[in-house]
Amino acid sequence: MTCIDTLLTGDAGNVRALEARPQFQLLRHDVSQPLELGGPVDAVLHFASPASPVDYAAHPIETLEVGTLGTRNLLELAQARGAVFLLASTSEVYGDPLVHPQPETYWGNVNPIGPRGVYDEAKRAAEAFTMAYHRRHGLRTRIARIFNTFGPRMRSNDGRAVPNFITQALAGKALTVYGDGSQTRSLCYVDDLIEGVMRLLACDEPGPVNLGNPQELTMLELARLVKELTGSRSEIAFSPLPVDDPRQRQPDITRARELLEWEPRVAPREGLARTIDWFRSTGR
Ligand code: UDP
């Protein structure tokens, strides 16, 4: 297994334990550039991209390139080697959704020129590229539309709500809720997500499948839950909502339930408790 990463937003420490295995290697490479890979290739899983709004605002060109040029390079690799191709897409293709919850048939409400456009439109282009290779070349493709996912090994400073609230609560600092905190997200624990991705890879559905936890909560509820689970006495401080921040988000996972016989098993409360334990034990 070859793991390819620029480590622009990643951390080699996250795969250090895997590097002890002879069949695993970490290759520092930017998939937005053409790549050569020896040996047989059974599957190409394209997860390369900054994924936090703070990160993709800091790296807008890289984000656009990896979603477009990177996707094309990896589709070419899959096609040349007869491999199956899986794209990590996103609930961001639905933008600030006008349909709730979001089924795969919803086309989305995305601002192409806003600060989130670099990620949303790159992933939408990635989906279009993937379907084009499927239709034009008969490539075996999978598209996972991943909703908010969290768990151990997130960067404490990646800017997203879960690592922000946990590190703030553990440090006794104020939890930074943006807007009035009434905007919602649906949080999936990483182990559930990985199970969904592996099942999707093994099925033969070429089109998009939502993967996420339908349990929706407001960001104020999330902040209060993190406070409760950490036992923190931190205050909650409100600051302005970022531009184009989606108001609500909840996956309709009917398709995943039917096709993959999959649904999340770990409730947000349990997943948060495990994530808090990890942040505590690693001192991050
Ligand atoms: N958010 C917040 N405080 C933070 C970080 C994020 O209130 O410190 C809000 C953010 O405005 C958004 C939600 O939490 O409404 C989820 O943000 P995140 O960056 O985790 O993911 P995304 O916006 O990509 O869903």
Side-chain angles (χ1 to χ4, degrees):
M1 181 186 291
T2 305
C3 172
I4 307 173
D5 204 318
T6 54
L7 300 178
L8 180 69
T9 61
D11 179 354
N14 286 340
V15 294
R16 195 141 292 141
L18 296 172
E19 283 189 286
R21 303 185 188 187
Q23 66 272 35
F24 182 90
Q25 60 163 331
L26 173 63
L27 191 65
R28 293 270 306 254
H29 177 78
D30 181 356
V31 294
S32 300
Q33 306 295 327
L35 77 156
E36 309 251 321
L37 212 57
V41 181
D42 302 319
V44 176
L45 288 84
H46 179 18
F47 279 72
S49 179
S52 156
V54 171
D55 284 341
Y56 53 72
H59 305 287
I61 315 284
E62 291 89 338
T63 303
L64 274 166
E65 285 182 346
V66 77
T68 54
L69 307 177
T71 302
R72 199 201 48 177
N73 287 336
L74 293 173
L75 283 162
E76 284 290 323
L77 174 71
Q79 198 204 335
R81 309 297 277 278
V84 57
F85 177 85
L86 184 146
L87 173 69
S89 185
T90 169
S91 54
E92 289 285 335
V93 299
Y94 302 124
D96 190 5
L98 305 177
V99 170
H100 194 70
Q102 294 80 56
E104 290 85 350
T105 47
Y106 178 49
W107 290 355
N109 177 37
V110 172
N111 176 5
I113 57 167
R116 300 174 83 100
V118 294
Y119 184 69
D120 302 6
E121 296 293 10
K123 289 289 188 181
R124 288 168 68 96
E127 289 200 8
F129 254 126
T130 303
M131 290 311 292
Y133 272 72
H134 174 68
R135 294 197 179 103
R136 182 73 179 80
H137 298 301
L139 188 71
R140 291 176 296 142
T141 57
R142 316 279 183 264
I143 298 174
R145 285 192 181 151
I146 300 172
F147 284 64
N148 294 65
T149 300
F150 72 99
R153 299 195 177 85
M154 291 182 93
R155 259 181 29 242
S156 58
N157 65 346
D158 93 358
R160 284 181 281 189
V162 169
N164 271 7
F165 292 166
I166 293 176
T167 48
Q168 289 160 349
L170 292 178
K173 294 185 180 154
L175 275 60
T176 52
V177 170
Y178 304 155
D180 63 4
S182 63
Q183 71 274 27
T184 68
R185 294 295 186 271
S186 304
L187 298 175
C188 187
Y189 187 64
V190 62
D191 290 7
D192 280 331
L193 195 274
I194 290 169
E195 176 67 22
V197 167
M198 296 317 286
R199 286 185 189 214
L200 179 62
L201 185 65
C203 87
D204 59 5
E205 170 59 50
V209 177
N210 287 340
L211 294 178
N213 190 325
Q215 277 192 49
E216 184 178 358
L217 69 172
T218 71
M219 291 303 97
L220 187 54
E221 285 168 342
L222 175 65
R224 289 187 175 138
L225 188 53
V226 169
K227 264 185 58 133
E228 179 200 323
L229 294 170
T230 51
S232 168
R233 300 165 69 118
S234 292
E235 289 175 5
I236 291 180
F238 295 90
S239 52
L241 198 63
V243 177
D244 293 341
D245 199 284
R247 287 285 321 148
Q248 53 183 2
R249 198 182 274 158
Q250 188 202 124
D252 178 335
I253 60 164
T254 308
R255 193 176 282 181
R257 280 197 175 105
E258 287 174 4
L259 272 175
L260 314 177
E261 294 179 5
W262 172 88
E263 62 182 5
R265 305 240 170 267
V266 183
R269 169 182 278 273
E270 169 62 21
L272 284 167
R274 292 187 204 174
T275 309
I276 290 165
D277 280 351
W278 181 82
F279 272 93
R280 257 206 188 107
S281 67
T282 55
R284 303 212 183 192

